[in-house]
Structures are given as structure tokens and as C-alpha cells.
Amino acid sequence: MYEIAVELQDPSSRATVRGAERVDQVRPGRFLASWSTRPHELVRVDTADGGFSFWPDELDTVEQMLVRRVGAAVVLAENMADFATLLSSIEDKGRQTALASFGSEEHSFAAASNGRTLPGPTWLGLGRDHRIFSVGFAGVGPVNDAERSANWVTPLRHWQGVTLDPDGDPVNYRYNLGRGISSQHDVARSLVDGCLPILVASVPDGEITYTVTAFVSLEVSSLAENPIFGTPALVADGHAGGHTFTADQTAEYEAQLGEYEPAEETVLFLRIRAENNASVARHAFFGVPAPYKLGGETLIDHVFADGYGALADGRIYAVAKLNGRAPEHEETALLLAPGGEATLDVAIPHTPVTSERALALYAKSTDLITADVSRYWQAKLSSAASIKVPDPRIANMISAGLLHLDLITFGSEPEAPLAPMIGVYSPIGSESGPIIQFFDSMGWSDVASRSLDYFSMKQRPDGFIQNFNGYMLETEAILWSFGEHYRIHRDADWLSRSRATIESAVGYILDQRAVQQSEGVEPHGLLVGKVADPDDPFATYMLNGFACLGLSRAAEMFEDIDPDLSALWSRAAHDLKEDIRASLAEAMAISPIVPLSDGTWSRTAPPWAGHPGPVMLARTAEPAFSHGTITTRDALIGPLWLIAQEVLEPDEPTAQEMLEYSADLSFHDNAAFSQPYYSPHPLVHLRRGEPRAFLRAYFTMVASLADRETYSFWEHYFHASPHKTHEEAWFLMQTRWMLYLEDGRDLKFFSGIPRSWMSPKERIELTNVRSYFGPVSACVTVSDDGNSARFSASFDPDRHPDAISVRLPHPRGGGAATVTAGTYDAQEEAVHIEIVSTHAEFDIVWT
């Protein structure tokens, strides 16, 4: 006989136990489950405070399973004790959950930098134009065998490599610097001004240092004249990985592609300067990039002579000048005096050009082009809002990030739709969302609205939006971004122009909902569809949460222009929310509990309705491993999304449970495995007032997934998918929320900043950033002695918040001795002020 006791915290409460051969209530609040043979099936316990399930055989490993949330404990019958005794045996050990431990100390980039380092290639281009270049250096980042021994430049039409003939393989230009690969490997890379898409690399070779500067400009025109006409969004989309076209869209793409004939090439300019640091003469060794088949050692037929690299058909793939004169050969050895320098300038057209065009390119001044390109990118930054923070790395990453997003947002200028690409991939309604929202936050409303126009352009007649790899959540998710755009700008003309898209998208969602309510197998009528790469066509909580959020935002947008539709959609959102919550409660009741670091156990939830618990814990033959982790579905597309999607409140008990078991089971250092920015919990921490937990996730993710020198992001921890702007945009949005975050009619400043940012003489300045309350500017300056600070903010006179909360955490941990306005909350370390005008200001003196 195999016996297990279930003990309730409240003996007067009622419970049912299902799954045993026999269940007896031996006294109030105690149940005895028994089997004639050892059980291997889940046992379900339902109490007044919720249900849970457990594997009886796991009691062979642990002494007890105490689920604090529902006030129940499970033990082998011979270990029976009342709930208080069982709880005391756990609490006496003084352990913490992983989530609680994140609040014990504040994380930093330096602390997180002992994790993975993921250097990678740098993408260079001009924005709007999908003719870009990927640039890398021998031994830096993940490269194929051919690129481990040489530096390289790969021209791309977004994702697709450039071929030199209709039937050829994509080309990869390779070149050497110095004497070659040795035991020394000290390549250091950076961006000009810390953020511009102008790459600088230092490559030492003994006493010779080579400095490489790489950037993209136009073949003929000056960028100061702003002649960037761009690539039609649909043409760029067709060159993206995973794009999805209907038959009509394919026909339109082919028509536009046939008409797409840029007047001039984009060009990659390389300036390679060698400097002799020795006290004696030394030779410098230069190589002009030569064409190879991408990914291999096969050299493409070509000739280099007198500064020109020519293909067999006579077209020119590169022009070069060494100290202002044409080098005779592809490789040159040049003796440098002590302290002497030599410079090789190379220009590589995106597609080879005629000899006449190459001659004009040869005559161009690299110095003038460099200055022109720098001004071009600085002008873009000047047109955006400004965010200045004390951490130079984060400050540079904010500016670099905005330009990285812009670099691969493709479309024809000046008014056509823009395709907000996500790395090598086509725009996705979910993954492009943070990109568009950061454009909005930085005041680029035109770029944001034209990016939303892309989704209108791709919408199908039935309202469905699908751009990538069979994903089924784009219609729902992009409605959220439409709603965020309207919240920030309140642009009635844009809303009128977008009305048909919104109505059609909502109609599609409601139609699908009606089908599931009448014909679906899920009892709560939840929407069905895959939300990521794994082929899981189920009632995913992430999909349904986005549907609920999208419906809610659509109702909000239509409050003034169509109150009846708004009310209808609001009711639909409310009904869907209730069904999601009911489904989730049932799902958690059938999901197995898991141990936490403090010795208690937690309920869990599956990523979709009907599945018996987390996929990673399923006792089935179906493998859970995908994209580098077994946690993929549970951590990245699971029910944690429901908190960020406003289906669950951040401070309700179920949200607490999800954060607790995720921190213990699915996260490392409060970051998800593999594609960590797919988990929305950092925002949840900020909404719950948990800055230390937020910073643990924030720094862990950025330190391990972004290139630490050039700041572009990977998609995964295993060097998959470079320049992934979806991940970079979530980092940027997390930074935005750390600095300012809306909370109903209130606005919170600095709710997630590190304490070090309030050190003596430090300053945080937000200039003309955009919020739900229109343009906002704010500044805090710490005194020279670090004992006080002054805060000021200005708001839109017609849309200012009702109140603000300004968190100012002092590095010593002390509270405020005095504040000159508002009230101070010691627990939040924040000053609360009601806003009745366009300005707020106060001084704080710390204890």
C-alpha cells in the first residue's frame, strides 16, 4: 500500500483530491490518498484558494511539498504533521526564493559581464535602403571557416547576399591586415562618437597597429543633400528571411522589383591606417579586398591592377589608393619609418560598376565622405528626443540602438510605408512592436506611423495580418502598437487614415473568437494559433493575451470617433479576459507543482490551455528542446505574458506565483534562457516596484546578448541571427521604462535606475521624450557632495499627468531628510507630486 497525506492550512476549508485509488478524510483538513501499487499519474487537489497537481513519485525524493499559495502540504503518510509544523520546518532554515534573492543586492553591468560574450559582425548602411554591408574581422565572433583567417565585407540586400552573376554564389570580399593570424588577438572595435554606424577597429600586429574605419555612403551624391530615396518596403520585405506573401502580394512584389532601379550604388568605404610604434623601421602589410564565394575558399575570377579590382566581364568591384596613389597589386609590403604611417583607402560598390563609374569613385575624397556620413547620422540623432544617463555605455547604447533600428527600417522616401525589419527577418506584428514603440518614444512619430502603414499594406481582405513563417499573433499584437501610437500622439488624422485597418483587424479577431466559441475544443473559446517558430497550433496564452490587449486598445482609440463600436469592442475584450483567467485557473489546477529555493513549492502553468503543465516538465516522448533550451515555450511564450498584456494585475497572487516559479525554474540570474528578451518580466518588476529584480534581469540580458563593443544584439546566446533589432528594441524599451513609465494617469520617473546613477555630480536628462502625456522633459542633478539633488520637469499644458512619482535612490541607501515639494515615500524612495501646471520642481536632501 502506498499512502500520501494532504494537509490543509485551514482545517475548516474544503478540498477534493482526485487521482488516487482511494481518498479518505481522516480528520478536518487532512486527507489520505492511497494506492495498491506505486502511482505514476498526477494527483489533483482542489481547495477554496485554488487547485494544484503533483507527481506522487516525487515524494520518494523530497520529504514534503508545501504549496504556500493555496495553504496545502503533501507528505508521505508516515511523515504526517499539521500544516503549521510543516511550514515551520521550512521557515526555520531561513532560505529565500530566487525571486526574493534578487532583492537582496543591486546588480550592475560589471557584475553581469562575467557571463557570455557575443561579439559579431557589424551592419553598415544608410537607413531606408536595403543595400547594406556586413563587416567583420578574423577571429571575431561566429564565422565560417573561410572568415576565420581573413577580415571580410559582405554586401547584402538585407538578408540575401549579392551575386556577381545571375547563377553565381553570393560574394564575400576578404582581405588581410599585417602578417596574419598569430598567438596575439587584440582586435578592439568601437563606433565613432560611441554610437554612429561608422565602425572603427584597432588590429595590432607586433609593433604595427592597423586602424580600420568602415562606413557606407552613396556612390555619387553627398548625404548632406539627403538624396536617400530608399527601397520600396515590399521589395525589401521580399529579400527578408521568413517573409510571407499572398499571391497578390507576390505579384505586386515582382512588379515593384522590376521597376526598382537605384540611380547609384551604396558604397562601403574602408580606410586602413598603419602606424609604426617601434623605434626602428618596420614593414606594414596591406591587402585589398578580393572576391570569394560566400562561406568558402573559392576565389572568384578577377584581376587587380593599378588600384582597380575587375571581374572577368570588366566590371569594377573595388577601387583602392595607398597613400593617395594606386597600388599595383592586391598585396603590398611597405616599409615605415619609426612613427611613420601609411593609409589604404578602399571603396567597394554594393554591386560592381562600370569602369567609367569606378573612375569617378576613385576621385572621391575619403576625408570629405567621412565627415559627410558623420553629419548625416548626427542629424538623425538631433531630430529625435534626447536621453542622457550617467553610464556612458548605456548612454551610447541608447543612441546607437535608435540608429540600429533605423538602419534596417526600409522603404521609399518621403511618405511610403516602412518595413521595420527585425534583424535578417521580415517585420512581425509582435517583434516589430517594440521597434515602433521606441520610435514613438523618441519623437519619430512619422517613422512610427509609416512603420504601422506597412502592416496596413500587408493586411489581407479578411483583416488577417501575417508576414512571417506562419505566425498567428501578428494581427493581435500590432493592434497594441497601433494603440500605443495613438496614446502618445493623439493624432486624429492618422487615426482616420488607419480606421479601416483597425476595424478589419478587430473584425478578424472577433470572427475567430466566434468560431472557437462555437466549434473549438477549448471550453473557454480561446483563439488558436502558433505564436513562434515551434509548430504549436494551440490556444496559447500569449496569443490570447495580445488579442485581449489589442481589442482593449482598439476600443480606446474609437471612444471618440465611434462610441458604439468602442463599447462593443470593450465588452469583447472584457469577456475574453474573463475567459483567459478562467482557463488559466483550470490550467494551473492540472499543472504539477515545482520546488522553490526557499523549500516551499509553487503551482505552475502551461503555455497554452489544455496542456498538463509546463512543456519542459511533461512526461511524454515529445522533446521540449528547441532554440537552445528546453524552456523555450514555458519561459518565452508562456503565461507570464498575461501580466504585461493587462490580463493579470502585476500585484495579484497569481502573478507572484508565476514570477517565483519562473525565477527558480526557467531563468538564470532572472533572465530567460536563449532568446531572453521574449520574456516580459522586467516590465512586470517595474510595475510591481521591484527595481533590484528589474536590474538583475536588465543587466544580465544586455551584458550577455549584445556585442559589448559595437552594441548590436544577437537573437540567441549561440550566435544565431545578428543585428537582431527586436532584442535591441526591448532593451531600449526597458531603458525607457526604467527612466519614465506611465501608470494610469500618473507618470513615474527613474523607477528602475541603479543607485550609482545618483552619485555625486551625476545627472539624468530627458529632453522632449514622448509619453502618454505628450512631450515630457525632466532632469535630475546631484550635488557635488552627493548629499542633495534637484529635480525639474516640464509637461504638455493640455495633456499633463495628474501626478508624478520620482524615485531617487541614494547610493548609501539613506532616505530623504527633506523635500521642498510633494511627499516622500521611504519604502519607494520616491517623491510624489500632484501636477496642476506645466512644470514641477523640488530639491531633495538625503540623510
Side-chain angles (χ1 to χ4, degrees), residues 147-167:
E147 293 166 344
R148 290 194 176 100
S149 60
N151 311 295
W152 49 272
V153 173
T154 303
L156 301 167
R157 293 185 180 94
H158 185 213
W159 176 62
Q160 298 179 15
V162 172
T163 58
L164 301 185
D165 60 78
D167 301 319

Side-chain angles (χ1 to χ4, degrees), residues 84-143:
T85 300
L86 296 172
L87 179 60
S88 178
S89 68
I90 294 172
E91 292 181 336
D92 287 347
K93 293 181 172 63
R95 295 173 297 202
Q96 288 182 307
T97 64
L99 180 64
S101 71
F102 298 148
S104 60
E105 61 181 26
E106 190 170 284
H107 211 43
S108 65
F109 187 93
S113 62
N114 61 355
R116 290 181 183 269
T117 56
L118 295 180
T122 302
W123 284 11
L124 299 173
L126 294 173
R128 305 295 171 272
D129 195 315
H130 79 157
R131 295 172 297 171
I132 62 174
F133 295 82
S134 182
V135 178
F137 296 88
V140 176
V143 290

